[in-house]
Amino acid sequence: MQPVLDPNPQNGQKKMLLVFGSFFAIFVIIAIVATVASP
């Protein structure tokens, strides 16, 4: 398994960080919606 952070980050590193950030944001939104929707 490759390390999450490369010793010498290239242009792809920023793209992957953006993807992970999007996944995290979606997860947070789902968690908030689930919390509000639960009785």
Short mmCIF file of all heavy atoms in Angstrom, two decimals:
data_model
loop_
_atom_site.label_atom_id
_atom_site.label_comp_id
_atom_site.label_asym_id
_atom_site.label_seq_id
_atom_site.Cartn_x
_atom_site.Cartn_y
_atom_site.Cartn_z
N MET A 1 0.85 -1.20 0.00
CA MET A 1 0.00 0.00 0.00
C MET A 1 0.89 1.25 0.00
O MET A 1 1.83 1.35 0.78
CB MET A 1 -0.86 -0.01 1.26
CG MET A 1 -2.04 0.94 1.19
SD MET A 1 -3.25 0.56 2.46
CE MET A 1 -3.99 2.16 2.63
N GLN A 2 0.54 2.18 -0.84
CA GLN A 2 1.36 3.39 -0.95
C GLN A 2 1.06 4.35 0.18
O GLN A 2 -0.05 4.36 0.71
CB GLN A 2 1.06 4.11 -2.28
CG GLN A 2 1.72 3.43 -3.47
CD GLN A 2 1.46 4.21 -4.75
OE1 GLN A 2 0.39 4.75 -4.92
NE2 GLN A 2 2.44 4.26 -5.62
N PRO A 3 2.04 5.15 0.58
CA PRO A 3 1.78 6.17 1.61
C PRO A 3 0.78 7.21 1.12
O PRO A 3 0.72 7.50 -0.07
CB PRO A 3 3.15 6.82 1.84
CG PRO A 3 3.94 6.49 0.59
CD PRO A 3 3.41 5.18 0.11
N VAL A 4 -0.02 7.73 2.04
CA VAL A 4 -1.06 8.69 1.65
C VAL A 4 -0.42 9.97 1.11
O VAL A 4 -0.86 10.51 0.11
CB VAL A 4 -1.96 9.00 2.86
CG1 VAL A 4 -3.02 10.04 2.47
CG2 VAL A 4 -2.64 7.73 3.35
N LEU A 5 0.63 10.42 1.78
CA LEU A 5 1.31 11.63 1.34
C LEU A 5 2.64 11.25 0.71
O LEU A 5 3.47 10.63 1.35
CB LEU A 5 1.56 12.57 2.53
CG LEU A 5 0.29 13.18 3.14
CD1 LEU A 5 0.63 13.94 4.39
CD2 LEU A 5 -0.39 14.10 2.13
N ASP A 6 2.83 11.61 -0.55
CA ASP A 6 4.10 11.32 -1.22
C ASP A 6 5.19 12.23 -0.70
O ASP A 6 4.93 13.38 -0.34
CB ASP A 6 3.96 11.52 -2.73
CG ASP A 6 3.08 10.45 -3.35
OD1 ASP A 6 3.10 9.31 -2.84
OD2 ASP A 6 2.37 10.74 -4.33
N PRO A 7 6.43 11.73 -0.65
CA PRO A 7 7.56 12.59 -0.23
C PRO A 7 7.69 13.82 -1.13
O PRO A 7 8.00 14.91 -0.66
CB PRO A 7 8.78 11.69 -0.37
CG PRO A 7 8.23 10.29 -0.31
CD PRO A 7 6.85 10.37 -0.91
N ASN A 8 7.48 13.63 -2.43
CA ASN A 8 7.53 14.76 -3.37
C ASN A 8 6.20 14.83 -4.12
O ASN A 8 6.03 14.18 -5.14
CB ASN A 8 8.71 14.62 -4.35
CG ASN A 8 8.76 13.21 -4.94
OD1 ASN A 8 8.00 12.33 -4.54
ND2 ASN A 8 9.64 13.01 -5.89
N PRO A 9 5.22 15.58 -3.57
CA PRO A 9 3.89 15.64 -4.18
C PRO A 9 3.92 16.28 -5.57
O PRO A 9 4.58 17.28 -5.79
CB PRO A 9 3.08 16.50 -3.20
CG PRO A 9 4.11 17.27 -2.44
CD PRO A 9 5.34 16.42 -2.39
N GLN A 10 3.18 15.64 -6.48
CA GLN A 10 3.07 16.20 -7.83
C GLN A 10 1.69 16.85 -7.98
O GLN A 10 1.00 17.07 -7.01
CB GLN A 10 3.26 15.08 -8.86
CG GLN A 10 4.74 14.72 -9.02
CD GLN A 10 4.97 13.23 -8.85
OE1 GLN A 10 4.02 12.49 -8.72
NE2 GLN A 10 6.21 12.81 -8.83
N ASN A 11 1.31 17.10 -9.23
CA ASN A 11 0.02 17.74 -9.46
C ASN A 11 -1.14 16.83 -9.06
O ASN A 11 -2.19 17.30 -8.64
CB ASN A 11 -0.11 18.11 -10.96
CG ASN A 11 -1.16 19.18 -11.18
OD1 ASN A 11 -1.57 19.83 -10.23
ND2 ASN A 11 -1.62 19.34 -12.40
N GLY A 12 -0.94 15.50 -9.18
CA GLY A 12 -2.01 14.56 -8.83
C GLY A 12 -2.33 14.58 -7.35
O GLY A 12 -3.43 14.21 -6.95
N GLN A 13 -1.36 14.98 -6.53
CA GLN A 13 -1.58 15.00 -5.08
C GLN A 13 -2.72 15.95 -4.72
O GLN A 13 -3.59 15.62 -3.93
CB GLN A 13 -0.30 15.44 -4.38
CG GLN A 13 -0.39 15.35 -2.86
CD GLN A 13 -0.29 13.91 -2.38
OE1 GLN A 13 0.55 13.17 -2.86
NE2 GLN A 13 -1.11 13.53 -1.44
N LYS A 14 -2.72 17.13 -5.32
CA LYS A 14 -3.76 18.13 -5.02
C LYS A 14 -5.12 17.61 -5.46
O LYS A 14 -6.12 17.80 -4.78
CB LYS A 14 -3.41 19.43 -5.75
CG LYS A 14 -4.27 20.61 -5.28
CD LYS A 14 -3.89 21.87 -6.00
CE LYS A 14 -2.56 22.43 -5.55
NZ LYS A 14 -2.26 23.72 -6.18
N LYS A 15 -5.15 16.92 -6.61
CA LYS A 15 -6.41 16.37 -7.12
C LYS A 15 -6.96 15.32 -6.17
O LYS A 15 -8.15 15.29 -5.88
CB LYS A 15 -6.16 15.75 -8.51
CG LYS A 15 -7.44 15.28 -9.18
CD LYS A 15 -7.13 14.71 -10.56
CE LYS A 15 -8.38 14.13 -11.21
NZ LYS A 15 -8.05 13.48 -12.49
N MET A 16 -6.06 14.46 -5.65
CA MET A 16 -6.51 13.41 -4.74
C MET A 16 -6.99 14.02 -3.43
O MET A 16 -7.98 13.58 -2.84
CB MET A 16 -5.36 12.43 -4.46
CG MET A 16 -5.88 11.02 -4.21
SD MET A 16 -4.71 9.75 -4.71
CE MET A 16 -3.83 9.54 -3.19
N LEU A 17 -6.31 15.08 -2.98
CA LEU A 17 -6.71 15.77 -1.75
C LEU A 17 -8.11 16.36 -1.93
O LEU A 17 -8.95 16.31 -1.04
CB LEU A 17 -5.70 16.87 -1.44
CG LEU A 17 -5.73 17.39 0.00
CD1 LEU A 17 -5.17 16.33 0.94
CD2 LEU A 17 -4.88 18.65 0.11
N LEU A 18 -8.37 16.90 -3.12
CA LEU A 18 -9.68 17.48 -3.42
C LEU A 18 -10.76 16.39 -3.39
O LEU A 18 -11.85 16.60 -2.85
CB LEU A 18 -9.63 18.14 -4.81
CG LEU A 18 -10.79 19.08 -5.13
CD1 LEU A 18 -10.67 20.36 -4.31
CD2 LEU A 18 -10.79 19.42 -6.61
N VAL A 19 -10.44 15.23 -3.95
CA VAL A 19 -11.40 14.12 -3.95
C VAL A 19 -11.71 13.68 -2.53
O VAL A 19 -12.87 13.47 -2.16
CB VAL A 19 -10.86 12.94 -4.78
CG1 VAL A 19 -11.74 11.70 -4.63
CG2 VAL A 19 -10.76 13.32 -6.26
N PHE A 20 -10.64 13.52 -1.71
CA PHE A 20 -10.86 13.11 -0.31
C PHE A 20 -11.66 14.17 0.44
O PHE A 20 -12.52 13.85 1.26
CB PHE A 20 -9.52 12.88 0.38
CG PHE A 20 -8.98 11.48 0.16
CD1 PHE A 20 -7.76 11.28 -0.49
CD2 PHE A 20 -9.70 10.38 0.60
CE1 PHE A 20 -7.27 10.00 -0.69
CE2 PHE A 20 -9.21 9.10 0.39
CZ PHE A 20 -7.98 8.91 -0.25
N GLY A 21 -11.40 15.43 0.16
CA GLY A 21 -12.14 16.50 0.80
C GLY A 21 -13.61 16.46 0.43
O GLY A 21 -14.48 16.67 1.26
N SER A 22 -13.88 16.15 -0.85
CA SER A 22 -15.27 16.04 -1.30
C SER A 22 -15.97 14.89 -0.59
O SER A 22 -17.10 15.03 -0.12
CB SER A 22 -15.31 15.82 -2.82
OG SER A 22 -14.67 16.90 -3.47
N PHE A 23 -15.29 13.74 -0.50
CA PHE A 23 -15.88 12.59 0.20
C PHE A 23 -16.17 12.94 1.65
O PHE A 23 -17.22 12.58 2.18
CB PHE A 23 -14.92 11.39 0.14
CG PHE A 23 -15.07 10.59 -1.13
CD1 PHE A 23 -13.94 10.22 -1.86
CD2 PHE A 23 -16.31 10.21 -1.60
CE1 PHE A 23 -14.06 9.48 -3.03
CE2 PHE A 23 -16.45 9.47 -2.76
CZ PHE A 23 -15.31 9.10 -3.48
N PHE A 24 -15.23 13.64 2.30
CA PHE A 24 -15.41 14.00 3.70
C PHE A 24 -16.59 14.96 3.87
O PHE A 24 -17.40 14.81 4.78
CB PHE A 24 -14.12 14.64 4.23
CG PHE A 24 -14.16 14.89 5.71
CD1 PHE A 24 -14.12 13.82 6.59
CD2 PHE A 24 -14.24 16.18 6.21
CE1 PHE A 24 -14.16 14.05 7.96
CE2 PHE A 24 -14.29 16.41 7.57
CZ PHE A 24 -14.24 15.35 8.46
N ALA A 25 -16.70 15.92 2.95
CA ALA A 25 -17.80 16.89 3.02
C ALA A 25 -19.15 16.19 2.84
O ALA A 25 -20.10 16.46 3.57
CB ALA A 25 -17.61 17.95 1.95
N ILE A 26 -19.21 15.25 1.88
CA ILE A 26 -20.45 14.50 1.65
C ILE A 26 -20.80 13.68 2.88
O ILE A 26 -21.96 13.61 3.29
CB ILE A 26 -20.30 13.61 0.40
CG1 ILE A 26 -20.21 14.47 -0.86
CG2 ILE A 26 -21.46 12.62 0.30
CD1 ILE A 26 -19.76 13.69 -2.09
N PHE A 27 -19.77 13.05 3.49
CA PHE A 27 -20.01 12.25 4.69
C PHE A 27 -20.57 13.11 5.82
O PHE A 27 -21.50 12.70 6.52
CB PHE A 27 -18.69 11.59 5.12
CG PHE A 27 -18.83 10.73 6.34
CD1 PHE A 27 -19.41 9.48 6.26
CD2 PHE A 27 -18.38 11.19 7.57
CE1 PHE A 27 -19.53 8.69 7.39
CE2 PHE A 27 -18.51 10.41 8.71
CZ PHE A 27 -19.08 9.15 8.61
N VAL A 28 -20.00 14.30 5.99
CA VAL A 28 -20.47 15.21 7.05
C VAL A 28 -21.91 15.63 6.79
O VAL A 28 -22.74 15.65 7.70
CB VAL A 28 -19.54 16.44 7.13
CG1 VAL A 28 -20.15 17.52 8.03
CG2 VAL A 28 -18.17 16.03 7.66
N ILE A 29 -22.22 15.95 5.53
CA ILE A 29 -23.59 16.36 5.18
C ILE A 29 -24.57 15.23 5.47
O ILE A 29 -25.64 15.44 6.04
CB ILE A 29 -23.64 16.80 3.69
CG1 ILE A 29 -22.86 18.11 3.51
CG2 ILE A 29 -25.10 16.97 3.25
CD1 ILE A 29 -22.65 18.46 2.05
N ILE A 30 -24.19 14.00 5.08
CA ILE A 30 -25.07 12.84 5.34
C ILE A 30 -25.27 12.65 6.84
O ILE A 30 -26.38 12.37 7.29
CB ILE A 30 -24.46 11.58 4.69
CG1 ILE A 30 -24.56 11.69 3.18
CG2 ILE A 30 -25.20 10.32 5.18
CD1 ILE A 30 -23.81 10.58 2.44
N ALA A 31 -24.20 12.82 7.61
CA ALA A 31 -24.30 12.65 9.07
C ALA A 31 -25.25 13.71 9.66
O ALA A 31 -26.08 13.39 10.51
CB ALA A 31 -22.92 12.77 9.69
N ILE A 32 -25.14 14.95 9.18
CA ILE A 32 -26.01 16.02 9.70
C ILE A 32 -27.47 15.74 9.31
O ILE A 32 -28.37 15.86 10.14
CB ILE A 32 -25.55 17.39 9.14
CG1 ILE A 32 -24.19 17.76 9.73
CG2 ILE A 32 -26.60 18.47 9.44
CD1 ILE A 32 -23.56 18.97 9.07
N VAL A 33 -27.69 15.32 8.06
CA VAL A 33 -29.06 15.01 7.62
C VAL A 33 -29.63 13.86 8.43
O VAL A 33 -30.79 13.89 8.85
CB VAL A 33 -29.07 14.69 6.11
CG1 VAL A 33 -30.43 14.13 5.69
CG2 VAL A 33 -28.72 15.94 5.31
N ALA A 34 -28.82 12.83 8.68
CA ALA A 34 -29.29 11.68 9.46
C ALA A 34 -29.62 12.12 10.89
O ALA A 34 -30.60 11.65 11.47
CB ALA A 34 -28.21 10.60 9.46
N THR A 35 -28.81 13.00 11.45
CA THR A 35 -29.06 13.48 12.81
C THR A 35 -30.35 14.29 12.87
O THR A 35 -31.16 14.13 13.79
CB THR A 35 -27.89 14.36 13.29
OG1 THR A 35 -26.67 13.59 13.19
CG2 THR A 35 -28.07 14.78 14.73
N VAL A 36 -30.58 15.13 11.87
CA VAL A 36 -31.80 15.95 11.86
C VAL A 36 -33.03 15.10 11.59
O VAL A 36 -34.09 15.30 12.18
CB VAL A 36 -31.66 17.06 10.80
CG1 VAL A 36 -32.99 17.79 10.61
CG2 VAL A 36 -30.56 18.04 11.19
N ALA A 37 -32.89 14.11 10.70
CA ALA A 37 -34.04 13.30 10.31
C ALA A 37 -34.43 12.31 11.39
O ALA A 37 -35.59 11.91 11.49
CB ALA A 37 -33.71 12.53 9.02
N SER A 38 -33.48 11.90 12.25
CA SER A 38 -33.81 10.92 13.28
C SER A 38 -34.70 11.57 14.35
O SER A 38 -34.42 12.70 14.76
CB SER A 38 -32.53 10.38 13.90
OG SER A 38 -31.83 11.41 14.56
N PRO A 39 -35.69 10.86 14.80
CA PRO A 39 -36.63 11.42 15.80
C PRO A 39 -35.99 11.56 17.18
O PRO A 39 -35.04 10.86 17.49
CB PRO A 39 -37.76 10.41 15.84
CG PRO A 39 -37.17 9.13 15.34
CD PRO A 39 -36.09 9.54 14.36
#
